Amino acid sequence: FCFCLTGFWCCCHWAQPPTDSSSHKKASLDRMGIFSKPAYTTSLSAQSDANKSDRLIFSKMRKTNIVDMLQFLTLDLLPAKNGEEPTMQFLLEVVDILTNYVRKTFDRSTKVLDFHHPHQLLEGMEGFNLELSDQPESLEQILVDCRDTLKYGVRTGHPRFFNQLSTGLDIIGLSGEWLTSTANTNMFTYEIAPVFVLMEQLTLKKMREIIGWPDGEGDGIFSPGGAISNMYSVMIARYKFFPEVKTKGMTAAPRLVLFTSEHSHYSIKKASAALGFGTENLILLSTDERGRVIPADLEAKVIDAKARGCVPMFVNATAGSTVYGAFDPIHEIADICEKYNMWLHVDGAWGGGLLMSRKHRHKLCGVERANSVTWNPHKMMGVPLQCSAILVRERGVLSGCNSMCAGYLFQPDKQYDVSYDTGDKAIQCGRHVDIFKFWLMWKAKGTIGFEQHIDKCLDLSHYLYTKIKGREGYQMVFDGEPQHTNVCFWYLPPGIRDMPDGQEKREKLHKVAPKIKALMMESGTTMVGYQPQGDKVNFFRMVISNPAATRSDIDFLTDEIERLGQDL
Amino acid sequence: FCFCLTGFWCCCHWAQPPTDSSSHKKASLDRMGIFSKPAYTTSLSAQSDANKSDRLIFSKMRKTNIVDMLQFLTLDLLPAKNGEEPTMQFLLEVVDILTNYVRKTFDRSTKVLDFHHPHQLLEGMEGFNLELSDQPESLEQILVDCRDTLKYGVRTGHPRFFNQLSTGLDIIGLSGEWLTSTANTNMFTYEIAPVFVLMEQLTLKKMREIIGWPDGEGDGIFSPGGAISNMYSVMIARYKFFPEVKTKGMTAAPRLVLFTSEHSHYSIKKASAALGFGTENLILLSTDERGRVIPADLEAKVIDAKARGCVPMFVNATAGSTVYGAFDPIHEIADICEKYNMWLHVDGAWGGGLLMSRKHRHKLCGVERANSVTWNPHKMMGVPLQCSAILVRERGVLSGCNSMCAGYLFQPDKQYDVSYDTGDKAIQCGRHVDIFKFWLMWKAKGTIGFEQHIDKCLDLSHYLYTKIKGREGYQMVFDGEPQHTNVCFWYLPPGIRDMPDGQEKREKLHKVAPKIKALMMESGTTMVGYQPQGDKVNFFRMVISNPAATRSDIDFLTDEIERLGQDL
């Protein structure tokens, strides 16, 4: 074995290995030209000037000037001897950068983004170079890197960022994430995450109560996103009906088929591929014009599958589809699931939040009949990414499905009640603490605060819908008031408006949304998503989950679309 | 549909919905007894006294007294009108709590944990109540909640926390996580995470170079932990050999078998269950006394499986096993994989970090012959949780395996090079930004800094091994110097030491480690793991990945084991 084979970490890279840390530090600073040629100074000063007015609050807090960080490397921070002072100073500088960013995020006079193409960022912007090197950088440069990382990113909390289902920057949630990072622990055992494990348990129970399962009974776990939560649901369903698959594999089961709407999230398809069902055994259900599953189509396809010798096992009902925001009729689907003995999963990743609103929860009517539910607080409830729960009505199947009883992690002879060691239920081993920010937000807002947020977002989307319905140049993708905050529409620039319907108009219209979106991103003023759907050419999908958005931001968006689309 | 069915969110819960926010706020504060009876005051004052000496740096930074937060609710924070000042003040209070925690973490005079049983925390400690309610809490109470969450947790960065493979609290990594939370974005498209997407790409390439793949070519992705990374490897291998499984399911393939060591991580078993292979089709390989796979056993079992009509498809070689820290002989396993046309995966979740050390990387000799590698920077490299990479030698198979081309997320007609939209490669949809903290640490430490950290940890474990080998009362679980930082040993209290070998001694010894561990946790002085393995009764597994640990902490651990085990 030869180090040189790696082409990188070969023995000839340095004449000799580094010796003690102080001489190394001095040497490496020399190599970096820090003592001789502070290349970053220009960039930093330029930025400092620009940010001067934003640095009011923290400016008094600094014991020393920012330039002091020049003399330090990461080796000088804790756990280094005498590391406490530089550590505190460095963290304070970082917090200064972050709080400036937070304030600007909510300031409508700042851009949503400062767009650059990949090759531009890869070539390196002034003072900001993504390449990693063998030698350390000074802490001063690290601070510049932090600032620039934010500068060239996208402000997802900006009141005019409408691009994704997850938007906004909740201050309590943010604080929760900062604390979570500082605690830096793992959800697999009570032993090392006692408080977080209990918070997860209590919060999941509360969510099950809100779903409507008696006494909040059941099981669940937070997972790394809605796609994994949906994957869990398929795994658990399979375990419930064919537990022998766990040991013997899919060949031990008959040919199983799954059902989901053609409007549903692609994670169901990913799960059917990953778990060994095959995407061809995922049967897509037709929807009505509003994107809701037609129950009769489900029943017909179940009967057809049985006739072909397949075993219908699992139905996914979407509560809040990604594009249209449609809610499938859960009660009617549940009737069919009961009749044919199939698992009913409700994918409420996007729409689950509406359960918190007395005004809107009727859209998930029947959810209490589901066997499992995906619900992502990081979408409609404004919790920072990531925060997704899979909730299961029957106790025991989640554990049964996944447990492997690894003796080195889940010892039965601990001094505490080991039923709190939840790790063996998961397909993960280590699991990030996603619960704390959500728990803390719930404490701070109360259930009532989530309700207010959700009602407000739906009011705003009603405002947008009412505004553009019938307005010149706009055309709705489907008729009627949207069920969720998704408002789907085409904008027709004047030059297209009066064209006769037909292929040419379609082709032109298909290019409008991408073009407007590109102009938006280049001007950095706002962001909204677009996509085609089925035979429908590219249209805008406006979604509102951002607590910072107001009617004026909605007005800004339509003005901007009209301004940028004027001459297309 | 009736709200009352939910048992919780029923219409009669309040006489009427809340009106404007200010009257609601006042009312809710009244309900909480905040104006009339500040129940948390005692708890807060008590803590304030205790922390007084720890509050030097930040004390000058506060514009107002902490009690001012009393008057605020989360509704007063940004994006509220005039929300900037309370927001900045609140964030500063949070940072104060966090930096105090950071300083104490590195202070050996503080405990590693303040242990409480689940029922104690559930019943509620003074001023700290985990229950969620309908009404909001004051920001003051939220700060108390933050403080108490840390108080009853475990200091995983404490120099004497040795309980897991992931330990330590890297200040740069922590800053990186704080920034990541503040940016609050998602890895699926370049559009909303331009800088992070590029950082991931560059860092993965660097890791592939270090593995030794020519020019760092190949593919990869950061995933939510080593278990998911290992699951990816099995999925990709299956797609490479039997791509039709993606569409037709496992029944389209012959009976596939997988191989892994009996000492390997249980995630391979979880993956074989989840992906539809079945755990019985995962064949466990025998190991030598040190926990390393015996290549001849692999070949014999491959031949046997073929004779039974199975198709050997995948071999997992562990580079750093969880308990013994053993490195399987990769070259010899690679020879067999080539001979029988099997996918070679190297699970370097724990041992991958050693690739950064010129002194220790020879332990992964042959890793460049792997088809895929799991490597968790959040373990041996001290990166905060979570940070795990799956790296793949051949380009295209990762995308081929997982892509579903969802039009609403990955539009082909964007203005930038959409090959940077990496989301469709993942089994996730949304994906947490795990790269930034790692990238920032690499910038700050340089490759050389990771090498120094790793060499230091291995030096420390050598110190421990040398110290207890042959020391009275200690017995090593296997002979010879450990390959990784895992030092596995029994401690025999005086009362057991001279007992004749046999069942009675085994039974007594089996209870020693759990008992000492329980006493450790109750006294809160240190934490170390234990477990049985095969026919071996409970033994301690000491691991060192904490950059804060020194020889004196190792001495403290053995002293503590001897002190607590004295009378058992």
Side-chain angles (χ1 to χ4, degrees):
Chain A
F1 182 81
C2 168
F3 286 111
C4 297
L5 278 179
T6 69
F8 159 75
W9 199 230
C10 62
C11 306
C12 49
H13 213 74
W14 294 291
Q16 52 185 44
T19 52
D20 72 290
S21 76
S22 64
S23 73
H24 148 239
K25 180 168 71 184
K26 175 73 173 65
S28 67
L29 284 169
D30 272 350
R31 262 194 297 278
M32 292 158 63
I34 280 184
F35 290 149
S36 51
K37 186 167 59 87
Y40 45 84
T41 312
T42 322
S43 148
L44 182 67
S45 327
Q47 289 187 21
S48 291
D49 285 340
N51 293 348
K52 201 171 277 174
S53 63
D54 296 312
R55 303 187 147 206
L56 297 177
I57 291 186
F58 279 85
S59 58
K60 293 173 197 158
M61 299 166 197
R62 297 208 194 117
K63 294 171 74 178
T64 53
N65 188 288
I66 189 170
V67 181
D68 280 3
M69 278 291 136
L70 249 176
Q71 61 182 296
F72 293 119
L73 289 180
T74 178
L75 279 174
D76 300 305
L77 301 179
L78 285 171
K81 206 181 161 193
N82 303 323
E84 191 170 303
E85 199 185 330
T87 298
M88 293 301 131
Q89 203 179 320
F90 177 74
L91 287 175
L92 208 58
E93 297 287 355
V94 171
V95 169
D96 184 36
I97 292 167
L98 300 182
T99 48
N100 270 322
Y101 180 82
V102 169
R103 281 189 291 130
K104 284 193 164 181
T105 289
F106 292 97
D107 174 0
R108 287 178 176 78
S109 71
T110 61
K111 287 183 170 187
V112 174
L113 78 164
D114 180 8
F115 179 77
H116 290 81
H117 284 280
H119 69 89
Q120 294 173 305
L121 290 174
L122 285 172
E123 285 156 11
M125 313 300 288
E126 191 188 346
F128 186 46
N129 168 15
L130 294 173
E131 289 296 336
L132 299 168
S133 69
D134 296 344
Q135 299 301 323
E137 286 187 352
S138 76
L139 293 184
E140 181 55 37
Q141 181 60 38
I142 293 302
L143 292 171
V144 172
D145 289 340
C146 286
R147 211 170 285 123
D148 285 345
T149 296
L150 292 171
K151 175 173 161 51
Y152 298 113
V154 177
R155 295 180 191 277
T156 59
H158 194 288
R160 291 169 183 166
F161 177 81
F162 301 110
N163 206 62
Q164 311 292 144
L165 304 183
S166 302
T167 63
L169 183 60
D170 186 275
I171 300 298
I172 304 290
L174 176 63
S175 307
E177 272 298 75
W178 287 0
L179 186 145
T180 300
S181 319
T182 312
N184 190 32
T185 193
N186 201 313
M187 292 297 286
F188 47 41
T189 61
Y190 179 86
E191 185 172 325
I192 63 161
V195 182
F196 299 131
V197 162
L198 297 177
M199 284 172 176
E200 179 174 72
Q201 182 189 281
L202 287 171
T203 308
L204 287 169
K205 183 165 195 292
K206 195 93 175 168
M207 293 171 87
R208 290 190 301 262
E209 283 171 359
I210 291 171
I211 285 171
W213 291 334
D215 298 323
E217 277 302 301
D219 206 342
I221 198 163
F222 281 83
S223 94
I228 303 283
S229 292
N230 284 341
M231 180 186 274
Y232 266 113
S233 74
V234 180
M235 286 171 61
I236 299 166
R238 178 174 66 184
Y239 179 75
K240 171 68 181 170
F241 291 118
F242 301 96
E244 61 276 23
V245 169
K246 181 177 176 181
T247 49
K248 300 194 181 301
M250 284 296 273
T251 48
R255 186 167 163 193
L256 305 174
V257 289
L258 320 170
F259 300 89
T260 194
S261 142
E262 57 192 21
H263 275 245
S264 69
H265 190 261
Y266 70 94
S267 54
I268 303 289
K269 202 169 168 189
K270 288 213 176 194
S272 65
L275 304 179
F277 292 86
T279 53
E280 288 177 6
N281 295 310
L282 173 66
I283 297 173
L284 295 184
L285 304 173
S286 303
T287 64
D288 64 17
E289 201 261 345
R290 303 283 303 265
R292 295 171 298 207
V293 156
I294 300 167
D297 186 62
L298 167 61
E299 183 155 21
K301 283 172 176 163
V302 167
I303 291 169
D304 177 63
K306 286 168 77 87
R308 288 185 288 112
C310 299
V311 175
M313 188 196 85
F314 173 97
V315 179
N316 173 57
T318 304
S321 64
T322 314
V323 179
Y324 283 18
F327 289 79
D328 290 339
I330 303 178
H331 267 306
E332 289 157 274
I333 295 172
D335 289 343
I336 298 167
C337 287
E338 281 171 17
K339 185 170 171 187
Y340 296 96
N341 193 30
M342 299 182 291
W343 184 276
L344 172 58
H345 176 66
V346 171
D347 177 4
W350 172 224
L354 270 60
L355 289 168
M356 307 296 278
S357 159
R358 284 164 289 180
K359 187 170 168 193
H360 295 286
R361 66 167 285 142
H362 68 90
K363 294 167 186 172
L364 290 100
C365 187
V367 66
E368 71 283 0
R369 296 174 67 188
N371 298 97
S372 55
V373 176
T374 292
W375 177 353
N376 288 10
H378 75 215
K379 292 197 167 79
M380 197 59 203
M381 293 168 75
V383 178
L385 290 158
Q386 60 191 32
C387 191
S388 169
I390 172 71
L391 299 139
V392 189
R393 192 171 64 190
E394 182 180 329
R395 238 193 135 65
V397 281
L398 176 60
S399 305
C401 176
N402 291 310
S403 71
M404 297 293 164
C405 303
Y408 57 79
L409 194 52
F410 309 113
Q411 302 87 16
D413 48 8
K414 295 181 183 176
Q415 87 272 33
Y416 59 84
D417 176 356
V418 294
S419 70
Y420 289 93
D421 286 354
T422 56
D424 210 20
K425 290 201 285 205
I427 55 169
Q428 301 179 265
C429 172
R431 188 161 58 94
H432 190 257
V433 177
D434 296 332
I435 184 61
F436 181 67
K437 59 195 164 201
F438 182 31
W439 179 89
L440 196 68
M441 281 176 70
W442 204 322
K443 276 274 183 187
K445 285 162 129 37
T447 315
I448 199 177
F450 285 120
E451 175 178 56
Q452 286 168 342
H453 164 63
I454 284 153
D455 289 351
K456 187 196 151 200
C457 289
L458 280 139
D459 283 354
L460 272 181
S461 75
H462 174 76
Y463 172 76
L464 172 64
Y465 168 73
T466 313
K467 177 176 181 172
I468 63 176
K469 188 168 89 83
R471 185 183 173 99
E472 194 189 349
Y474 290 83
Q475 194 182 322
M476 307 311 290
V477 173
F478 57 82
D479 288 333
E481 177 95 22
Q483 292 185 283
H484 206 321
T485 68
N486 308 49
V487 180
C488 297
F489 61 92
W490 288 282
Y491 173 71
L492 290 83
I496 297 180
R497 248 168 250 177
D498 300 325
M499 284 177 69
D501 288 345
Q503 191 56 26
E504 194 190 341
K505 185 176 185 178
R506 280 173 55 83
E507 279 170 18
K508 277 192 182 291
L509 185 56
H510 189 58
K511 290 176 185 156
V512 169
K515 188 67 195 157
I516 291 178
K517 170 76 175 273
L519 293 169
M520 264 178 193
M521 286 179 66
E522 276 150 31
S523 65
T525 48
T526 180
M527 278 177 83
V528 61
Y530 74 86
Q531 67 287 299
Q533 169 89 38
D535 60 356
K536 296 187 163 68
V537 301
N538 278 323
F539 55 87
F540 287 111
R541 178 208 62 176
M542 174 68 178
V543 279
I544 302 164
S545 61
N546 194 333
T550 62
R551 290 188 176 198
S552 74
D553 299 309
I554 304 291
D555 293 338
F556 181 87
L557 177 83
T558 52
D559 289 352
E560 196 67 358
I561 287 175
E562 291 165 25
R563 180 178 76 85
L564 298 169
Q566 187 65 25
D567 303 321
L568 295 184
Chain B
F1 183 81
C2 170
F3 286 113
C4 297
L5 278 179
T6 68
F8 158 76
W9 199 231
C10 63
C11 307
C12 50
H13 214 75
W14 294 291
Q16 53 185 46
T19 51
D20 70 291
S21 75
S22 64
S23 73
H24 148 237
K25 180 169 71 185
K26 175 72 173 65
S28 67
L29 285 170
D30 272 349
R31 263 194 296 280
M32 291 158 65
I34 282 184
F35 290 149
S36 51
K37 187 168 57 87
Y40 46 84
T41 312
T42 323
S43 151
L44 183 65
S45 327
Q47 289 187 23
S48 292
D49 285 340
N51 292 347
K52 201 170 278 175
S53 62
D54 296 312
R55 302 187 149 207
L56 296 178
I57 292 186
F58 279 85
S59 59
K60 293 173 199 157
M61 298 162 198
R62 296 210 195 118
K63 295 172 76 179
T64 53
N65 190 286
I66 188 170
V67 182
D68 280 4
M69 277 292 138
L70 248 176
Q71 62 182 296
F72 293 119
L73 289 180
T74 177
L75 280 174
D76 300 305
L77 301 179
L78 287 172
K81 207 181 158 192
N82 303 322
E84 191 170 304
E85 199 185 328
T87 299
M88 293 302 131
Q89 203 178 321
F90 176 74
L91 287 175
L92 209 57
E93 297 287 354
V94 171
V95 169
D96 183 35
I97 292 168
L98 300 182
T99 48
N100 269 322
Y101 181 82
V102 169
R103 281 187 291 130
K104 284 192 164 182
T105 290
F106 292 98
D107 174 359
R108 288 178 175 77
S109 72
T110 61
K111 286 183 170 186
V112 174
L113 78 164
D114 180 9
F115 180 77
H116 290 82
H117 283 280
H119 68 88
Q120 293 174 306
L121 290 175
L122 284 172
E123 283 158 11
M125 313 299 289
E126 190 187 348
F128 187 46
N129 169 13
L130 295 172
E131 288 297 336
L132 299 167
S133 69
D134 297 343
Q135 299 300 324
E137 285 187 353
S138 76
L139 293 185
E140 180 56 37
Q141 181 60 40
I142 293 301
L143 292 171
V144 172
D145 290 341
C146 287
R147 211 170 284 124
D148 285 344
T149 297
L150 291 171
K151 174 174 161 51
Y152 298 113
V154 176
R155 296 180 191 275
T156 59
H158 194 288
R160 291 170 184 165
F161 177 81
F162 302 110
N163 205 62
Q164 311 294 144
L165 304 184
S166 303
T167 63
L169 184 60
D170 186 275
I171 300 299
I172 304 291
L174 175 63
S175 307
E177 273 297 76
W178 286 1
L179 185 145
T180 299
S181 319
T182 312
N184 191 31
T185 194
N186 201 315
M187 292 296 287
F188 47 41
T189 60
Y190 179 85
E191 187 172 324
I192 63 161
V195 181
F196 299 131
V197 162
L198 297 177
M199 284 173 176
E200 181 175 71
Q201 181 191 279
L202 287 172
T203 308
L204 287 169
K205 184 166 195 290
K206 196 94 177 168
M207 293 172 87
R208 291 191 301 262
E209 283 171 359
I210 291 172
I211 285 172
W213 291 334
D215 298 323
E217 277 301 301
D219 207 342
I221 198 164
F222 281 83
S223 94
I228 304 282
S229 292
N230 284 341
M231 180 186 275
Y232 267 113
S233 75
V234 180
M235 287 171 61
I236 299 165
R238 179 175 66 184
Y239 179 76
K240 172 70 181 171
F241 291 117
F242 302 96
E244 62 275 22
V245 170
K246 181 177 177 182
T247 49
K248 299 194 181 303
M250 283 295 274
T251 47
R255 187 167 163 193
L256 304 174
V257 289
L258 319 169
F259 301 88
T260 194
S261 139
E262 56 191 21
H263 274 246
S264 69
H265 190 261
Y266 71 94
S267 55
I268 302 289
K269 203 169 168 191
K270 288 214 176 194
S272 66
L275 303 180
F277 292 85
T279 52
E280 289 178 5
N281 295 309
L282 173 66
I283 296 173
L284 295 184
L285 304 173
S286 303
T287 64
D288 64 17
E289 201 260 347
R290 303 281 303 264
R292 296 172 298 207
V293 156
I294 300 167
D297 186 61
L298 168 61
E299 184 155 21
K301 284 173 176 162
V302 167
I303 291 170
D304 178 62
K306 286 167 78 86
R308 287 185 290 113
C310 299
V311 175
M313 188 195 85
F314 173 95
V315 180
N316 173 56
T318 304
S321 63
T322 313
V323 179
Y324 283 17
F327 289 78
D328 289 339
I330 303 178
H331 267 307
E332 288 158 275
I333 294 172
D335 289 342
I336 298 167
C337 287
E338 281 170 17
K339 183 170 171 187
Y340 296 96
N341 192 31
M342 299 182 291
W343 184 277
L344 172 57
H345 175 66
V346 170
D347 176 5
W350 171 225
L354 270 60
L355 290 167
M356 307 295 279
S357 159
R358 284 164 288 182
K359 187 170 168 193
H360 295 286
R361 66 167 285 144
H362 69 89
K363 293 168 186 173
L364 289 101
C365 187
V367 66
E368 70 283 359
R369 295 174 67 188
N371 298 97
S372 55
V373 176
T374 291
W375 176 353
N376 288 10
H378 74 215
K379 291 197 166 81
M380 196 60 203
M381 292 167 76
V383 179
L385 289 159
Q386 59 190 32
C387 191
S388 169
I390 172 72
L391 299 138
V392 190
R393 192 171 63 191
E394 183 180 328
R395 236 190 137 66
V397 282
L398 176 60
S399 306
C401 176
N402 292 310
S403 70
M404 296 294 163
C405 304
Y408 56 81
L409 193 53
F410 309 112
Q411 303 87 15
D413 48 8
K414 295 182 183 176
Q415 87 272 32
Y416 59 83
D417 176 356
V418 293
S419 70
Y420 289 93
D421 286 353
T422 56
D424 209 19
K425 290 201 286 205
I427 54 168
Q428 301 180 266
C429 173
R431 188 161 59 94
H432 191 257
V433 177
D434 296 332
I435 186 61
F436 180 68
K437 59 195 164 200
F438 182 31
W439 178 89
L440 197 69
M441 280 176 70
W442 203 322
K443 276 273 182 187
K445 286 162 130 31
T447 314
I448 199 177
F450 285 119
E451 175 178 56
Q452 286 167 342
H453 164 63
I454 284 154
D455 288 352
K456 186 195 151 200
C457 289
L458 280 139
D459 283 353
L460 272 182
S461 75
H462 174 76
Y463 172 75
L464 172 63
Y465 169 72
T466 313
K467 176 176 182 172
I468 63 176
K469 188 168 89 85
R471 184 183 174 97
E472 195 189 351
Y474 289 84
Q475 193 182 323
M476 306 310 290
V477 172
F478 55 83
D479 288 334
E481 177 94 21
Q483 291 185 281
H484 206 321
T485 68
N486 308 48
V487 181
C488 297
F489 62 91
W490 288 282
Y491 173 71
L492 290 84
I496 297 179
R497 247 167 249 177
D498 300 324
M499 283 176 69
D501 288 346
Q503 192 56 25
E504 195 191 341
K505 185 176 186 178
R506 279 173 55 84
E507 280 169 18
K508 277 191 181 291
L509 185 55
H510 188 58
K511 290 176 185 156
V512 169
K515 188 67 195 157
I516 291 178
K517 170 77 175 271
L519 293 169
M520 265 178 192
M521 286 179 67
E522 275 149 32
S523 64
T525 48
T526 181
M527 277 178 84
V528 61
Y530 74 85
Q531 67 287 298
Q533 169 89 36
D535 59 355
K536 296 187 162 67
V537 300
N538 278 323
F539 55 86
F540 286 112
R541 178 208 63 176
M542 174 68 177
V543 279
I544 302 164
S545 61
N546 194 334
T550 61
R551 290 188 175 198
S552 73
D553 299 309
I554 304 291
D555 293 338
F556 181 87
L557 177 83
T558 52
D559 289 352
E560 197 66 359
I561 287 175
E562 290 165 25
R563 180 178 77 85
L564 298 169
Q566 187 65 24
D567 303 321
L568 295 183

